[in-house]
Amino acid sequence: MVTRFLTEVPVDIDRDTARLRAAEELANPAYQNAKPSWLSEAFSWVLEKLLSFLDTVDSAVPGGIFAVVLLAVVLIVLVVVIRVRSGPLATSAKSGRAVFAGQRKASGEHRKAAEEAASRGDFDDAVREIFRAVVRSLEERALLDEKSGRTADEAALEAGRLLPDVAVPLRAGARLFDDVHYGGIPATEDGYRSLSELDERCRRARPVALAAG
């Protein structure tokens, strides 16, 4: 019986017949179910290319893939810093730390508000108002332009060029204003008194351009 079965199996199969038999065999559901999906094949291709790229980098770049990752992190940090300092984020952050919010008052009004706040023990408000009185007084004397969105640091830097005798306390006053108004650090009576003294010194100080003339 075995001999009969073997004799019935064709030994010499032409090309067309072989192709047809192969197609019929591959059409079997068992093969189709075992075939990987296109997503799996795509993932395998991407993974293969990525591993090949990493091997190339590892052999071509000093320090290997670790150096490349470190360089990428540094570049990302630099981009973020540049965006924060010069892009829309910088503009938003700067306008959010301005000395004046809304319509300006006269320096005397800010000074009076500071004294009233200090008398009731509200030194946070007293520090805010007395520093605004300093900046507003400099604007009224035309030592500072009335520029919207000016920060405390900018005011101190610009005024310090014309009033070098008070440049250092102006910068210290700007830091105190930012710490209290934007940093949430509680103000003290000593801090308020130091700004009151700064206010008096700025009012008496003569700009270097006028003094030279």
Side-chain angles (χ1 to χ4, degrees), residues 53-179:
F53 170 74
L54 293 179
D55 288 340
T56 303
V57 170
D58 193 48
S59 60
V61 178
I65 190 61
F66 176 77
V68 174
V69 172
L70 182 60
L71 178 60
V73 171
V74 171
L75 290 176
I76 292 172
V77 171
L78 286 176
V79 170
V80 171
V81 170
I82 292 172
R83 289 281 295 172
V84 169
R85 289 185 176 273
S86 61
L89 293 176
T91 302
S92 176
K94 179 180 174 182
S95 62
R97 298 179 68 87
V99 176
F100 297 104
Q103 187 176 4
R104 281 171 165 78
K105 303 176 183 177
S107 60
E109 294 181 65
H110 287 295
R111 201 169 289 115
K112 181 179 179 182
E115 293 170 355
E116 292 174 351
S119 66
R120 63 176 182 267
D122 185 358
F123 293 108
D124 287 359
D125 202 27
V127 162
R128 282 190 286 265
E129 291 299 323
I130 194 61
F131 187 79
R132 286 170 176 159
V134 171
V135 176
R136 191 69 184 102
S137 178
L138 293 171
E139 291 178 344
E140 291 168 349
R141 295 172 60 191
L143 298 178
L144 289 177
D145 294 332
E146 292 189 11
K147 183 170 64 177
S148 299
R150 177 186 279 118
T151 66
D153 285 335
E154 288 174 339
L157 182 62
E158 293 172 24
R161 295 192 186 105
L162 294 177
L163 303 173
D165 291 342
V166 291
V168 173
L170 271 171
R171 289 195 296 271
R175 286 194 298 271
L176 178 57
F177 175 84
D178 282 341
D179 287 345

